Amino acid sequence: MMMNKENIKRVSSITILSILLIIVILLATGTGAMHMSPTQVLAILLDKAGIHLPVAYEENMPGVLWMIRLPRVVLGVLIGAGLGVAGASLQGLFRNPLADPGLIGISSGASMAAVVMIIIQNALPVFQQVPALNFYALNLAAFAGAIITTLFIFRIARTGGQAAISTMLLAGIAVRALCESVTGLMTYLANNEQLRSITFWSLGSLGGASWQTVTGVAPFIIIPLIMLPRLAPALNLLALGEREAMHSGVGVPRLKSMLVIFATMAVAAGVAVAGIIGFIGLIVPHIVRQFTGPDYRILIPGAALSGAVLLTVADLLCRTIVAPAELPVGIVTAVIGAPFFLWLIIKEKRTILA
């Protein structure tokens, strides 16, 4: 009976979040200089599948929807889901609710590599001679920086074939400080144009979204979205302690490696195309945990859906608050995330004192 209740809770939670995500996608896709109602958006989308609804819309609406709005919304959904699922998984790995993707150097490594690329891109002739390389240089540099930094930290933490969590945290702090110092140096050496690029990238934006960007980043996020929920039962056992998890048949070293690899893949892909977007990986698991509890079978898919909802809403606010200008999405996620996180800290403090 207890298992049935848990299954019902999991299915109902995921269903509610999925419906909420669909509603948010329809609203975000239809909002902008050319307004489209949710029914018009739905009608245009279904027309592509050969299903025609009796809903009238202007002739140029499908072009705006397919070429401008939908790629941006889909990219936001993918990146938000990737950040959410990575944050939940890393909090399970470290058994620490304050853990986030920046803790093991993913964001700082990506930021350092991207800033270095911004500085040297105009100085090397090869980037001007090969347009495709010039177009993807920043994305590739950020992705490579995140992966290399995380693997370096993981390699330092490995002792006797196992990764010590405490060593990984300490190495992450040290490497993050080193990356931030290099980033600061490159920022100091940048000219005005490069400084604007660095500032805009470090604050995050989905403004460069296109179907080319979506298809390029999708595999690196979809694979973690599929694989990390499969590790949820093992994470539930890991929450009891490494020794207890090993006695229950969990291959703890392999589990740690898989969590780090898939979480890094998801975050690095998002950072590579959208820049640094803070607080999603940190606060989304907390939000989901308030309603679903600590069961990672619910928490991980719930964090993926909630991350997608939160980033889509944040990007919608970016496009509309100061229209026709646009705010960096990292500012909006920080404005949303920081007060919520402070509320969580105060709540936990009151619980401890009580």
Side-chain angles (χ1 to χ4, degrees):
M1 179 65 70
M2 193 68 178
M3 191 63 183
N4 289 335
K5 287 182 179 179
E6 289 298 320
N7 286 335
I8 292 171
K9 182 180 181 181
R10 183 161 67 247
V11 171
S12 60
S13 299
I14 300 305
T15 301
I16 292 170
L17 287 172
S18 299
I19 293 171
L20 178 60
L21 178 58
I22 292 171
I23 293 172
V24 168
I25 288 172
L26 292 175
L27 290 174
T29 309
T31 303
M34 176 179 288
H35 179 73
M36 308 176 203
S37 68
T39 53
Q40 287 175 321
V41 172
L42 191 59
I44 294 170
L45 294 176
L46 291 177
D47 273 349
K48 284 285 185 179
I51 302 173
H52 303 290
L53 298 181
V55 178
Y57 54 81
E58 296 178 21
E59 185 178 353
N60 54 350
M61 281 185 176
V64 172
L65 179 67
W66 284 105
M67 302 308 298
I68 300 175
R69 302 267 181 85
L70 197 57
R72 181 164 181 158
V73 171
V74 172
L75 185 65
V77 168
L78 284 172
I79 294 175
L83 292 174
V85 77
S89 301
L90 291 175
Q91 287 178 11
L93 170 64
F94 292 112
R95 299 193 295 279
N96 185 344
L98 297 179
D100 78 323
L103 200 61
I104 56 174
I106 304 175
S107 300
S108 57
S111 180
M112 179 189 69
V115 169
V116 170
M117 181 56 65
I118 289 172
I119 298 298
I120 69 173
Q121 196 167 2
N122 293 332
L124 298 179
V126 64
F127 292 106
Q128 312 308 321
Q129 296 167 0
V130 185
L133 179 61
N134 189 51
F135 181 78
Y136 287 110
L138 183 60
N139 297 346
L140 291 173
F143 186 82
I147 297 292
I148 292 170
T149 304
T150 306
L151 291 179
F152 178 65
I153 292 170
F154 195 65
R155 180 68 184 86
I156 293 175
R158 286 184 71 85
T159 304
Q162 296 190 31
I165 296 300
S166 58
T167 306
M168 190 182 299
L169 288 172
L170 292 172
I173 293 170
V175 171
R176 183 171 60 183
L178 177 61
C179 291
E180 289 175 354
S181 66
V182 174
T183 301
L185 175 62
M186 292 295 104
T187 303
Y188 177 77
L189 296 175
N191 58 36
N192 288 335
E193 183 180 350
Q194 292 168 340
L195 193 58
R196 283 195 295 270
S197 298
I198 291 170
T199 302
F200 193 73
W201 189 88
S202 64
L203 293 174
S205 174
L206 299 176
S210 66
W211 286 119
Q212 188 178 21
T213 307
V214 171
T215 54
V217 77
F220 298 100
I221 297 179
I222 290 174
I223 291 173
L225 289 177
I226 294 172
M227 296 304 298
L228 286 172
R230 296 168 66 91
L231 303 177
L235 270 174
N236 282 336
L237 294 173
L238 186 64
L240 303 174
E242 290 191 20
R243 183 174 297 177
E244 289 77 4
M246 293 181 71
H247 287 323
S248 301
V250 176
V252 174
R254 181 172 178 271
L255 175 63
K256 291 178 182 178
S257 299
M258 294 179 70
L259 287 170
V260 170
I261 289 169
F262 290 129
T264 300
M265 187 185 299
V267 176
V271 170
V273 297
I276 305 297
I277 300 174
F279 281 98
I280 299 289
L282 180 61
I283 67 168
V284 161
H286 282 286
I287 295 173
V288 178
R289 201 177 280 115
Q290 298 295 313
F291 299 99
T292 66
D295 188 346
Y296 283 94
R297 294 175 301 170
I298 308 174
L299 182 59
I300 289 180
L305 292 167
S306 300
V309 169
L310 181 56
L311 187 54
T312 304
V313 170
D315 185 57
L316 176 60
L317 294 175
C318 290
R319 294 189 283 116
T320 55
I321 289 177
V322 293
E326 183 176 312
L327 285 174
V329 71
I331 293 176
V332 177
T333 57
V335 168
I336 295 173
F340 180 82
F341 194 58
L342 288 172
W343 174 78
L344 281 174
I345 293 172
I346 294 170
K347 181 183 176 184
E348 290 297 324
K349 178 182 175 181
R350 288 175 178 171
T351 302
I352 293 171
L353 292 176

